[in-house]
Amino acid sequence: ETHGITFRIQISVKELLDTDVLLKLLFHLPVNYPSTLPDISVNSDQLTRAQCMDVKDKLLEQAKKHVSEPMVHDLILWIQQHLKYVIKQSATVSSEKTTSSKGTSTEDGTWMLLLHLDHMRAKAKYVKTVEKWASDLRLTGRLMFMGKIILILLQGDRSNIKEYLILQKTSKVDVDSSGKKCKEKMISVLCETRVQSQHKRFQMFEVKEYSTLDELQTEFETAGLKTLFSEFVPPLLK
């Protein structure tokens, strides 16, 4: 009567990163629910702690739309349909939260990394791996293809940038000429620097292909990275 009701629900969500994700949801319904929002806890062995926090935040956002009406069933249906989107947007949520809570200090802790890859033999698998790493480490940016040029541009906390580099260099992300899994040996760190005020923050991580060098240059210039482009990209064509 004074503490409300607490109960757990486990749901399995399919088709996320080629595996089933088991979400463990805990709802605490206060005495005056649904006039008052429930407390929600999210856990999953398949997601990082940060991703679980983002799922929780999104569920609470949805709950606000259902104040004064029963909502738990609707929330469960919503996350089953939108989990993939929430995980993909995880970096965006993190960026917005940090900016609002820390103000200008966010820029002080945000770094940028530009990598050049020589080739990708197992392209589909390689791309999916890079997307997962970026999501897990809350990194935004671009994986860019233009002709034979392959670039990875990342933005995020410096510690996460460093961790990404370790993963990139130590994991078996591609296959060799005989088809065996192999580590990335043909990678160049073109630039690693602090994000400056004139640089636009990417809101998510995207994979993009460009038909011409002009298209690629426009991508950089739109992000305030004209100098970065002119210094590092044209030499790759020689």
Side-chain angles (χ1 to χ4, degrees):
E1 294 180 3
T2 57
H3 299 291
I5 300 171
T6 299
F7 60 92
R8 301 174 186 274
I9 295 177
Q10 290 194 160
I11 58 172
S12 180
V13 184
K14 297 184 181 298
E15 298 180 0
L16 181 70
L17 302 175
D18 292 334
T19 185
D20 290 355
V21 174
L22 184 65
L23 283 181
K24 302 170 185 176
L25 307 174
L26 186 146
F27 291 89
H28 173 248
L29 309 184
V31 176
N32 48 357
Y33 168 85
S35 298
T36 301
L37 295 179
D39 290 323
I40 303 172
S41 176
V42 179
N43 286 289
S44 175
D45 293 336
Q46 288 81 37
L47 302 180
T48 65
R49 184 174 181 81
Q51 289 171 327
C52 287
M53 290 296 293
D54 286 329
V55 171
K56 172 187 172 180
D57 290 343
K58 286 297 184 182
L59 282 172
L60 287 173
E61 282 181 24
Q62 290 300 311
K64 291 176 183 177
K65 301 176 182 179
H66 297 280
V67 174
S68 297
E69 61 185 61
M71 66 186 77
V72 173
H73 183 251
D74 288 333
L75 294 179
I76 292 170
L77 291 179
W78 187 88
I79 198 60
Q80 284 179 314
Q81 296 168 2
H82 294 84
L83 181 63
K84 190 171 185 177
Y85 170 79
V86 172
I87 298 306
K88 192 172 183 179
Q89 295 296 314
S90 181
T92 306
V93 174
S94 171
S95 171
E96 291 172 349
K97 273 197 215 167
T98 310
T99 302
S100 62
S101 62
K102 295 186 179 179
T104 55
S105 65
T106 304
E107 296 300 325
D108 298 335
T110 303
W111 281 67
M112 180 167 55
L113 177 71
L114 181 63
L115 300 173
H116 173 239
L117 300 182
D118 185 72
H119 62 270
M120 285 183 181
R121 285 196 174 93
K123 183 177 177 180
K125 178 180 178 295
Y126 204 131
V127 168
K128 187 169 288 188
T129 299
V130 170
E131 287 181 310
K132 185 178 187 306
W133 287 344
S135 174
D136 288 350
L137 294 170
R138 296 176 174 277
L139 300 175
T140 61
R142 300 284 186 268
L143 170 52
M144 301 175 279
F145 296 92
M146 200 290 294
K148 293 184 178 180
I149 293 178
I150 306 171
L151 298 170
I152 301 177
L153 179 62
L154 298 170
Q155 293 178 346
D157 291 342
R158 193 176 189 187
S159 60
N160 290 349
I161 292 277
K162 295 288 188 185
E163 189 171 341
Y164 178 91
L165 265 177
I166 293 171
L167 286 170
Q168 182 76 67
K169 293 178 178 179
T170 60
S171 303
K172 292 184 177 181
V173 290
D174 207 359
V175 296
D176 60 20
S177 56
S178 63
K180 292 182 180 178
K181 292 181 180 180
C182 66
K183 296 177 183 178
E184 179 58 74
K185 298 177 181 178
M186 304 288 286
I187 185 172
S188 303
V189 178
L190 300 180
C191 179
E192 185 178 356
T193 184
R194 190 187 303 275
V195 170
Q196 304 300 320
S197 57
Q198 70 269 25
H199 298 154
K200 175 186 173 185
R201 289 295 307 274
F202 291 109
Q203 293 302 303
M204 62 178 65
F205 185 82
E206 294 183 90
V207 180
K208 301 185 94 173
E209 302 211 14
Y210 308 86
S211 302
T212 66
L213 188 63
D214 286 342
E215 287 183 11
L216 183 60
Q217 184 172 350
T218 299
E219 179 78 73
F220 275 79
E221 291 180 353
T222 301
L225 301 172
K226 183 177 181 178
T227 303
L228 189 72
F229 176 87
S230 59
E231 184 175 352
F232 295 106
V233 181
L236 299 175
L237 297 170
K238 297 177 181 177

